[in-house]
Amino acid sequence: AQSVTQLGSHVSVSEGALVLLRCNYSSSVPPYLFWYVQYPNQGLQLLLKYTSAATLVKGINGFEAEFKKSETSFHLTKPSAHMSDAAEYFCAVSSTGFQKLVFGTGTRLLVSP
Amino acid sequence: EAGVTQFPSHSVIEKGQTVTLRCDPISGHDNLYWYRRVMGKEIKFLLHFVKESKQDESGMPNNRFLAERTGGTYSTLKVQPAELEDSGVYFCASSQDSSSEPIFSYNEQFFGPGTRLTVL
């Protein structure tokens, strides 16, 4: 069975500061890993994905994540937070490209001026 | 191109009543998924359609939930009778046809805005 753990239900940063959202996964097979973002009153939007190619994955809006097999982690980072980054972020895992996504509990990012 | 749409955006019903949620996937997407997020918890998979067939319904909580996908287009999720614990946000997602893709590729799931269901 697969699972995802997101540490911290809320993360607060100042505008311009580093964003670090943590995700650890458990999977018995090589995983596909994803980060999704949900802005208020919108659906989930794919930020980036890892599908066994490069371990450092770059996504939209300046976000990136690094797959570390030894640590079973896929943490999301952004060098400089912007007010528009305030949203809820979800890490997810899948065993293939077409099967269900298993999500973490989400992390709400708060950005202060 | 229109994205995934869901109707209604909000629904408030009383325990014991019936509610039907609708999802219209992106045109041409054969894969359709339903997920649910109960307050404060993770988003959980309910089921997966490939065209009109149920590929995986392992996440359906019980037989009070019935999902259909008529003609491989839109899908409905009916809850009958609704219970308090059914409250949450129901998301629908769709992705392109998988039959022609190699197994190691990935088809992005595009999500709708969700339906917020409140059972009183």
Side-chain angles (χ1 to χ4, degrees):
Chain A
Q2 298 176 307
S3 67
V4 171
T5 301
Q6 290 185 243
L7 293 178
S9 59
H10 291 79
V11 170
S12 295
V13 300
S14 299
E15 192 172 21
L18 171 72
V19 175
L20 170 61
L21 304 183
R22 299 179 185 274
C23 172
N24 288 86
Y25 71 91
S26 172
S27 178
S28 58
V29 298
Y32 288 64
L33 292 160
F34 313 90
W35 275 99
Y36 280 85
V37 61
Q38 185 182 23
Y39 299 102
N41 301 317
Q42 295 185 28
L44 281 75
Q45 179 183 2
L46 182 65
L47 266 182
L48 49 80
K49 62 182 182 289
Y50 167 76
T51 57
S52 75
T55 57
L56 182 61
V57 180
K58 294 187 183 299
I60 61 173
N61 301 337
F63 284 93
E64 63 181 38
E66 185 172 9
F67 171 70
K68 292 187 177 181
K69 184 178 179 180
S70 61
E71 299 177 7
T72 60
S73 69
F74 190 58
H75 301 331
L76 181 71
T77 60
K78 182 174 180 178
S80 177
H82 191 272
M83 296 295 290
S84 60
D85 294 327
E88 192 160 20
Y89 293 79
F90 297 90
C91 183
V93 64
S94 175
S95 58
T96 73
F98 307 103
Q99 293 184 356
K100 63 185 179 185
L101 295 168
V102 176
F103 286 91
T105 50
T107 298
R108 187 168 296 279
L109 177 65
L110 307 171
V111 183
S112 57
Chain B
E1 180 182 337
V4 176
T5 58
Q6 294 186 243
F7 182 83
S9 57
H10 293 81
S11 180
V12 180
I13 61 172
E14 294 191 351
K15 176 182 173 180
Q17 290 186 320
T18 297
V19 63
T20 300
L21 313 181
R22 173 170 170 145
C23 169
D24 286 81
I26 293 172
S27 178
H29 280 193
D30 287 342
N31 294 286
L32 189 149
Y33 307 80
W34 283 99
Y35 295 86
R36 176 176 74 172
R37 188 183 193 196
V38 173
M39 179 71 72
K41 299 199 173 180
E42 70 270 33
I43 300 169
K44 281 194 170 181
F45 167 81
L46 295 178
L47 88 160
H48 171 203
F49 284 101
V50 178
K51 297 184 180 178
E52 67 274 11
S53 299
K54 293 175 184 175
Q55 178 78 12
D56 179 359
E57 51 184 330
S58 61
M60 294 289 266
N62 52 60
N63 59 9
R64 295 185 295 102
F65 288 75
L66 175 64
E68 295 180 323
R69 190 178 183 192
T70 307
T73 55
Y74 71 91
S75 174
T76 58
L77 180 64
K78 180 189 287 188
V79 184
Q80 179 182 27
E83 299 288 345
L84 299 179
E85 64 265 24
D86 300 332
S87 295
V89 180
Y90 290 76
F91 292 101
C92 175
S94 70
S95 69
Q96 289 182 321
D97 172 33
S98 58
S99 60
S100 60
E101 297 296 322
I103 193 65
F104 52 80
S105 69
Y106 172 72
N107 276 353
E108 178 180 347
Q109 292 186 28
F110 293 86
F111 282 77
T115 293
R116 181 174 297 277
L117 174 64
T118 302
V119 182
L120 302 176

